[in-house]
Amino acid sequence: YIGEPFNEGPTARMTLRDMRIGLAFLERHFRFIDPVAERMTVDRILGIASALHEERPINALVIDPWNEVHHERPRELREDEYISASLTKVRRWARRHSAHVFIVVHPTKLQKGADGKYPVPTPYDCSGGAQWRNKADYCITVHRELGEFESADVDVHVQKVRRREIGRLGCATLHYNKVTGQYEDPNARRMTYEERMERRRDLA
């Protein structure tokens, strides 16, 4: 949001005033559910989100990452069956509250291909496999090549789209700015300080 680094480094860091502006923006538009505070199950997260929604409507809920959620899987359910039941709960919550829900899932260990590179993960590469692909309305993979010369280019692969009128399959490449922590369009001109200030006023 600020477009400048928080920590000291070779690039001028944000001012104390900018930091306060950024914090005020976060407090207006974001709320955080701390998974460290207690054993956060899917039901507990959705319950807290429902209570927050009553105070102020929620446009989007992000569960990140899935493997840090506390999973109380009944013994009689296989992992894929448990994931299917959990995703059904999440979808019902999303539709009841007219909100988007994003679940960040990391793939299981991938094998390098003949070219020495890791393949682009798909939902089938996540623990629980097909349920992630079947139950999701959209599947998006964020992928970056790792190696001796680590690239700052990040490919965003849209691998599933349920409603074609609001999305399509494909891939877009973004540039990860390590200084600011932002993803940028590599073909776009970087905004000036004055333009960033104007954009802040619009977003606020």
Side-chain angles (χ1 to χ4, degrees):
Y1 177 66
I2 297 299
E4 295 168 355
F6 178 80
N7 296 314
E8 291 183 349
T11 304
R13 69 192 303 196
M14 68 179 71
T15 64
L16 185 60
R17 178 177 177 275
D18 284 341
M19 184 196 74
R20 288 172 177 158
I21 291 172
L23 285 174
F25 178 83
L26 285 175
E27 288 173 1
R28 278 196 305 276
H29 298 285
F30 294 85
R31 285 168 286 178
F32 296 90
I33 300 172
D34 185 4
V36 178
E38 56 182 289
R39 292 153 71 92
M40 284 291 177
T41 62
V42 171
D43 289 338
R44 179 73 176 134
I45 291 171
L46 296 180
I48 293 173
S50 294
L52 292 173
H53 185 82
E54 291 297 320
E55 297 174 8
R56 193 171 79 219
I58 291 174
N59 296 323
L61 171 65
V62 181
I63 301 175
D64 178 16
W66 177 256
N67 64 346
E68 287 192 13
V69 174
H70 181 71
H71 299 291
E72 295 178 340
R73 175 163 63 95
R75 290 185 179 181
E76 66 273 13
L77 288 184
R78 299 190 312 268
E79 182 180 23
D80 63 318
E81 292 174 330
Y82 165 76
I83 289 174
S84 176
S86 298
L87 294 181
T88 296
K89 291 178 183 178
V90 170
R91 289 182 66 177
R92 286 175 180 163
W93 185 93
R95 287 169 180 160
R96 187 164 57 248
H97 295 86
S98 298
H100 297 286
V101 179
F102 298 89
I103 302 178
V104 179
V105 186
H106 298 289
T108 54
K109 190 171 183 180
L110 299 171
Q111 300 297 320
K112 288 184 179 180
D115 58 359
K117 297 180 180 179
Y118 288 104
V120 176
T122 72
Y124 296 112
D125 295 311
C126 300
S127 183
Q131 297 303 330
W132 292 110
R133 180 69 171 73
N134 296 340
K135 287 295 182 79
D137 291 329
Y138 302 87
C139 294
I140 301 171
T141 296
V142 180
H143 179 69
R144 181 163 59 101
E145 289 290 348
L146 301 177
E148 183 179 356
F149 302 102
E150 204 167 282
S151 173
D153 288 337
V154 178
D155 293 326
V156 181
H157 298 263
V158 180
Q159 298 179 335
K160 179 184 177 182
V161 173
R162 190 179 298 277
R163 298 179 60 187
R164 300 303 173 107
E165 67 272 20
I166 54 175
R168 62 180 180 176
L169 303 177
C171 178
T173 299
L174 300 176
H175 179 82
Y176 178 67
N177 187 325
K178 294 181 180 180
V179 175
T180 64
Q182 294 174 314
Y183 289 95
E184 302 168 342
D185 181 346
N187 300 314
R189 178 182 63 83
R190 182 162 174 76
M191 289 189 292
T192 65
Y193 179 82
E194 290 75 19
E195 289 171 331
R196 291 205 307 275
M197 295 303 102
E198 184 63 33
R199 179 173 177 271
R200 276 189 221 166
R201 284 191 287 272
D202 293 340
L203 288 173

